[in-house]
Amino acid sequence: MMRSIDLVDGIRLPTPLEMVSFLVILLLVYLIDTFLLKPWTSPLRHLEGPPRGYGMNGHSVEIMNLHGNTVHEWISTYGSTFLVRGPFGVHHRIFTLDPRALSHVLNNTQIYFKSPILRNLVRRYMKEGLIVAEGERHKVQRKVAQRLFSRNGLKGMSEIVEEKANQLRDIFHDLLSNPHLSTPYSPCSNKLPPGSREIDIYASASRCTFDIIGQVGIDHTFNSAGEWEGEGGRLFDKYERMQYPTNGLKFLMGLLWPCFEKVFPSENAKLVAQAMDPLEDLSKKIMNERQREIDEGKRELPSDNRDLLTLMLRCNMTKGLNPDQKLRDHEITGQLATFMFAGSDTTAGTIAMGLYQLAKHPYVQETLRAELSAYGDNLPYEQIDELPYLDAVVKEVLRINPSLPGTVRQAQRDDIIPLSQPLRLTSGKAVTELKIRKGQMIHVPIEHLHTSSHIWGADANSFDPSRFLGDQMDLPFRTDTIPRKTSIPSSVPPGPGVWPNFMTFIDGPRRCVGYKLALMEIKIMFFKLIREFQVLPKDDQRVWRMSTRPYVEGTLFEKGSSLPIIIRHLRGEEYEEGEKSNSNKVG
């Protein structure tokens, strides 16, 4: 028989049986509270929602399926606001397209944080940077980062973007003129006639945006687009692979309890470490070298915000700055990791999906080319926003293929969420607000908002840039009939976003700080490539998206993210086959 262990003054340790009994009681209390008390007493218990969802994934599979119609059927059935179930049918989430509700959630950042699981997922790739930070630390980081994207700062960045776009254009020219030339994103092949080439547009765009953010972030030249066997190219290869595989029990356990993965790292955690550790080491090395040069008087800190690292160091050296307003070392490296990942990955995916949409819609491509051809070889910064059809195309790409399909916020205290329209509950009562408890999660369905027929009309799922060119535009039309400015269709109701009901860059205090750079990159890339090349879709593939990245159906776990399309030269020259003297390097 087990006995307790007596200690001094009558204090004793519990027996093993008592400890097990106590843990069982705790588990029972948790289960009763989670599965019975909270659902039965929830202020949202009369809010309608779709059936089922009691499995391990809840309704997340349907919500994350960006190519299905289930969620839109839910919207038609239950309206703009309803409940969806989380894992094992609990932790219900509010799913809402209501503009007033979304504005409330996204603008009250002191109440609504990212959920712990989402923060752990983001922290895996972006460390303690701007996207992970909450509260006061987010304000400090954002205040510094915003200064990088001033008008003068963006003008300087446009030169970097144009240089990289020119490099990609020249690489494509070389690939088309030499079928024996091979790159990681376009292996040599004789399947297509001279002047045509299959190119993985996502892989090539990713290298360009990676290089751009390297210069904007730490003033470092990776040149992974041109020298893929060099240091920058090898670093990019590790960076590109780090998102896979993102499944398995270890991965999920690591999101729930990050300390678990420190002891039992998942395969994904190992890939992330292989990619991010060298990037972090490089950032620290450059940061320390630059700081030492400044301290020794060998280098003056420039007054212009030429890169994020210089800007952060300069801000930290501001006289009289409160110590609480200074960026800590781990925040500086976290900011750099954030810009490398969020600044390159999302933009590359948008460029790739945009060119894919143009390949599938030749009339749109031809109209865009006609507009672009009226300009010179370069697109000055001052003219970037003066090409209305280009602007309409980019808006439509961002609408129908947002880089972030959705996000989740969690209430840090009890709150009341206002609604723009009355909502009828299962009890028959009509309400104009929702009372929620601390811990309640709200799903922000960006992609479903962008493709909702109730907001964008019956053709919401169609790729049609003309929707931004005025309600009276007739098709077909000539470039000289295009309005000088784009606008959101008058039928689209007011809503949150950079433009009404346009949530690609989120909204509120956490709006994407670098969205103007992203728009500039997309426009300049389209300008350089569409003027010179015709893009065509491959006939034998279906393209899907997982989060920010595209992939070809059936190849995700074999090849990872990719989006091959056919690139054809417009000039129609006859290309002679022949080896080039330096066929393993371009640019």
Side-chain angles (χ1 to χ4, degrees):
M1 181 176 179
M2 296 184 184
R3 293 186 177 182
S4 61
I5 302 174
D6 293 326
L7 300 179
V8 294
D9 298 328
I11 301 175
R12 67 179 180 84
L13 293 175
T15 65
L17 180 60
E18 289 173 333
M19 292 178 65
V20 171
S21 300
F22 178 71
L23 292 175
V24 169
I25 292 172
L26 279 181
L27 178 61
L28 287 174
V29 170
Y30 171 79
L31 293 175
I32 292 172
D33 180 63
T34 300
F35 288 91
L36 295 177
L37 293 181
K38 283 184 177 177
W40 287 352
T41 62
S42 170
L44 301 175
R45 62 187 180 277
H46 295 301
L47 186 60
E48 283 192 294
R52 297 183 295 276
Y54 292 102
M56 183 177 69
N57 296 314
H59 284 126
S60 62
V61 173
E62 291 89 341
I63 292 173
M64 294 303 295
N65 180 7
L66 304 179
H67 308 280
N69 199 43
T70 302
V71 174
H72 286 298
E73 291 175 356
W74 292 348
I75 295 169
S76 297
T77 303
Y78 304 108
S80 62
T81 302
F82 50 89
L83 275 187
V84 293
R85 293 187 176 90
F88 301 104
V90 295
H91 302 301
H92 293 28
R93 300 179 180 185
I94 298 174
F95 183 105
T96 183
L97 302 179
D98 188 285
R100 193 176 178 192
L102 289 173
S103 293
H104 177 83
V105 170
L106 294 173
N107 281 284
N108 287 282
T109 53
Q110 75 280 9
I111 301 176
Y112 296 95
F113 289 6
K114 290 183 177 69
S115 68
I117 291 180
L118 180 57
R119 290 186 71 196
N120 289 338
L121 177 62
V122 174
R123 184 181 287 111
R124 175 185 295 262
Y125 303 106
M126 305 186 204
K127 308 298 181 182
E128 298 296 331
L130 187 64
I131 295 180
V132 174
E134 298 283 0
E136 288 301 316
R137 297 317 301 172
H138 176 266
K139 291 180 182 179
V140 171
Q141 292 192 32
R142 187 177 182 87
K143 183 179 179 181
V144 175
Q146 282 181 151
R147 296 172 62 178
L148 184 67
F149 300 101
S150 65
R151 180 175 177 81
N152 287 337
L154 287 167
K155 187 174 182 179
M157 293 176 201
S158 69
E159 298 173 2
I160 296 172
V161 176
E162 184 171 14
E163 179 183 354
K164 190 53 61 174
N166 284 336
Q167 182 188 29
L168 187 61
R169 177 200 61 194
D170 294 343
I171 289 174
F172 285 2
H173 277 304
D174 288 342
L175 288 170
L176 290 170
S177 63
N178 185 356
H180 297 295
L181 184 61
S182 182
T183 73
Y185 41 84
S186 183
C188 59
S189 173
N190 295 319
K191 295 181 180 179
L192 296 173
S196 297
R197 188 79 180 239
E198 179 182 319
I199 297 177
D200 185 344
I201 196 64
Y202 174 74
S204 53
S206 292
R207 290 174 179 270
C208 286
T209 56
F210 181 81
D211 292 348
I212 290 169
I213 296 300
Q215 290 184 258
V216 171
I218 57 177
D219 193 23
H220 184 78
T221 302
F222 288 113
N223 196 21
S224 64
E227 298 181 358
W228 49 85
E229 294 180 351
E231 179 185 5
R234 292 193 299 271
L235 194 58
F236 173 83
D237 289 338
K238 294 178 181 179
Y239 167 84
E240 176 61 22
R241 289 195 298 267
M242 73 177 181
Q243 282 205 50
Y244 301 98
T246 55
N247 56 3
L249 182 60
K250 285 185 179 180
F251 177 80
L252 295 175
M253 294 288 284
L255 293 183
L256 292 170
W257 301 287
C259 57
F260 174 87
E261 213 164 40
K262 293 181 179 179
V263 181
F264 304 104
S266 65
E267 187 63 27
N268 175 256
K270 296 175 184 177
L271 293 174
V272 170
Q274 291 173 10
M276 296 307 294
D277 287 354
L279 277 174
E280 191 170 1
D281 291 343
L282 177 63
S283 298
K284 288 179 179 178
K285 178 183 176 182
I286 294 174
M287 179 176 67
N288 292 333
E289 288 177 353
R290 197 164 299 175
Q291 187 68 61
R292 185 173 61 253
E293 290 173 355
I294 294 168
D295 294 340
E296 294 175 355
K298 297 179 180 179
R299 178 184 184 128
E300 290 188 7
L301 205 57
S303 59
D304 63 313
N305 301 332
R306 67 181 186 184
D307 63 82
L308 181 62
L309 178 57
T310 299
L311 174 63
M312 290 189 290
L313 291 176
R314 185 157 63 86
C315 288
N316 269 4
M317 296 177 69
T318 303
K319 292 182 179 180
L321 184 66
N322 190 309
D324 291 340
Q325 297 299 306
K326 290 187 176 183
L327 291 172
R328 298 150 188 169
D329 285 352
H330 73 275
E331 289 179 321
I332 291 177
T333 54
Q335 281 281 59
L336 297 174
T338 296
F339 270 69
M340 288 304 300
F341 187 87
S344 66
D345 213 63
T346 54
T347 306
T350 302
I351 291 171
M353 290 303 300
L355 291 172
Y356 176 66
Q357 292 289 358
L358 291 173
K360 293 199 302 177
H361 298 85
Y363 177 76
V364 175
Q365 183 182 161
E366 291 167 8
T367 306
L368 177 60
R369 185 176 296 113
E371 180 184 70
L372 302 182
S373 298
Y375 289 77
D377 292 337
N378 297 319
L379 184 61
Y381 173 74
E382 292 77 12
Q383 292 184 330
I384 287 176
D385 294 327
E386 294 183 2
L387 284 73
Y389 199 72
L390 174 61
D391 192 59
V393 168
V394 171
K395 278 188 170 75
E396 185 70 344
V397 170
L398 291 167
R399 183 191 71 84
I400 207 163
N401 298 118
S403 55
L404 185 67
T407 187
V408 177
R409 295 292 185 265
Q410 186 172 37
Q412 304 304 300
R413 60 175 173 82
D414 294 355
D415 192 31
I416 297 176
I417 299 178
L419 301 172
S420 61
Q421 295 181 343
L423 178 66
R424 188 164 297 279
L425 305 177
T426 56
S427 62
K429 181 181 179 181
V431 296
T432 57
E433 59 187 25
L434 294 176
K435 295 181 180 180
I436 65 168
R437 289 176 175 170
K438 177 182 178 180
Q440 177 64 52
M441 287 193 280
I442 298 92
H443 183 78
V444 182
I446 297 172
E447 180 130 348
H448 296 105
L449 181 80
H450 286 191
T451 54
S452 169
S453 59
H454 301 284
I455 296 174
W456 291 94
D459 65 342
N461 279 305
S462 300
F463 182 80
D464 181 12
S466 67
R467 73 177 75 245
F468 297 105
L469 296 171
D471 297 332
Q472 304 303 317
M473 280 302 299
D474 295 323
L475 292 176
F477 54 85
R478 305 185 312 275
T479 56
D480 59 358
T481 67
I482 297 175
R484 296 185 64 182
K485 294 287 184 180
T486 59
S487 61
I488 298 296
S490 59
S491 58
V492 175
V498 174
W499 306 290
N501 286 298
F502 216 105
M503 296 278 287
T504 303
F505 303 109
I506 308 294
D507 194 25
R510 299 197 71 100
R511 175 185 293 181
C512 174
V513 70
Y515 82 92
K516 291 183 179 179
L517 171 60
L519 290 173
M520 181 169 65
E521 289 180 80
I522 298 165
K523 288 183 177 182
I524 291 178
M525 286 291 180
F526 285 2
F527 180 87
K528 294 290 183 178
L529 298 180
I530 296 301
R531 280 167 49 91
E532 301 274 344
F533 308 102
Q534 181 184 16
V535 292
L536 303 166
K538 287 189 64 180
D539 295 331
D540 57 344
Q541 70 179 15
R542 297 181 67 187
V543 175
W544 305 104
R545 284 191 307 125
M546 175 176 284
S547 187
T548 64
R549 297 180 167 204
Y551 67 94
V552 177
E553 184 179 46
T555 67
L556 177 60
F557 291 99
E558 175 188 351
K559 297 182 179 180
S561 300
S562 64
L563 208 172
I565 60 175
I566 306 300
I567 304 288
R568 180 180 296 169
H569 208 290
L570 284 174
R571 298 175 188 170
E573 297 103 335
E574 294 184 1
Y575 292 89
E576 296 181 358
E577 297 186 8
E579 294 291 335
K580 288 195 171 182
S581 59
N582 191 16
S583 61
N584 66 330
K585 289 187 179 182
V586 184

